[in-house]
Amino acid sequence: EAGVTQFPSHSVIEKGQTVTLRCDPISGHDNLYWYRRVMGKEIKFLLHFVKESKQDESGMPNNRFLAERTGGTYSTLKVQPAELEDSGVYFCASSQDPARSYEQYFGPGTRLTVT
Amino acid sequence: SQQGEEDPQALSIQEGENATMNCSYKTSINNLQWYRQNSGRGLVHLILIRSNEREKHSGRLRVTLDTSKKSSSLLITASRAADTASYFCATDASNFGNEKLTFGTGTRLTIIP
């Protein structure tokens, strides 16, 4: 079974540009999460999808960040316009229905560098 | 201190010795999960312990949970060079589980061959 995949693995953009990150969860996982780790600090929650619906977006830092999960499969996270403080590693995770399992499985992350 | 704070921040031991890492948290939890991150790579799920469990084993890993003290420990026995990594605890404070995780700052473990 394939794990969570993320694309790209690394992105370098200039301040003011737009970047779109993609996450493909484990097949059959309804829950999809975005997290990020900025400048060596703790990994912080951004938002949580259940299928195509946003369950919790309390961690989204501001309206420059837009996450979508059309069709309830893969998800995208767009940053527009990017700022220097957005640099960090963006992780995606997925999990099954809580009646079956609580474990969240993480992808390898996308390292975003804004210059 | 923050939710999910590990100590020590860094730990170096000889190969073959046991490594113990601790995690403290502030709020009530549904479950606590431990993850490993090798340098520059993603997070690997190690073990999950539910709030009604006190101890759990998986191979060379042993996790304990003390909800009265709001703390957990991860023990790695007979350490190997491949165990060198950063280890994070993460708590789920939701009522039913499977919601956002709150991560600690991590413990950097170095196994000396």
Side-chain angles (χ1 to χ4, degrees), chain A residues 62-101:
Chain A
N62 52 60
N63 59 9
R64 295 186 294 102
F65 289 75
L66 175 64
E68 295 180 323
R69 193 182 182 195
T70 306
T73 54
Y74 71 90
S75 173
T76 58
L77 179 64
K78 179 190 288 188
V79 185
Q80 179 181 27
E83 298 289 344
L84 298 178
E85 64 264 25
D86 301 332
S87 295
V89 181
Y90 290 76
F91 292 103
C92 174
S94 71
S95 68
Q96 294 181 314
D97 182 281
R100 298 179 63 186
S101 167

Side-chain angles (χ1 to χ4, degrees), chain B residues 24-75:
Chain B
S24 62
Y25 57 91
K26 285 189 168 182
T27 65
S28 297
I29 61 171
N30 177 286
N31 63 77
L32 185 147
Q33 307 184 38
W34 283 91
Y35 289 85
R36 182 186 73 228
Q37 183 181 29
N38 293 87
S39 180
R41 298 193 177 183
L43 294 162
V44 175
H45 189 274
L46 296 177
I47 197 165
L48 178 151
I49 187 164
R50 298 189 184 192
S51 60
N52 60 354
E53 298 176 311
R54 292 298 168 257
E55 188 171 312
K56 205 162 182 181
H57 297 255
S58 176
R60 294 183 297 112
L61 305 181
R62 172 176 168 254
V63 169
T64 62
L65 179 66
D66 187 335
T67 53
S68 66
K69 295 181 179 178
K70 291 187 170 58
S71 67
S72 173
S73 67
L74 171 67
L75 169 67

Side-chain angles (χ1 to χ4, degrees), chain A residues 29-47:
Chain A
H29 282 194
D30 288 339
N31 295 277
L32 187 149
Y33 313 80
W34 284 97
Y35 295 85
R36 73 172 180 176
R37 190 178 191 191
V38 175
M39 292 192 63
K41 296 185 178 178
E42 306 96 83
I43 300 165
K44 294 279 195 182
F45 167 81
L46 295 178
L47 89 160

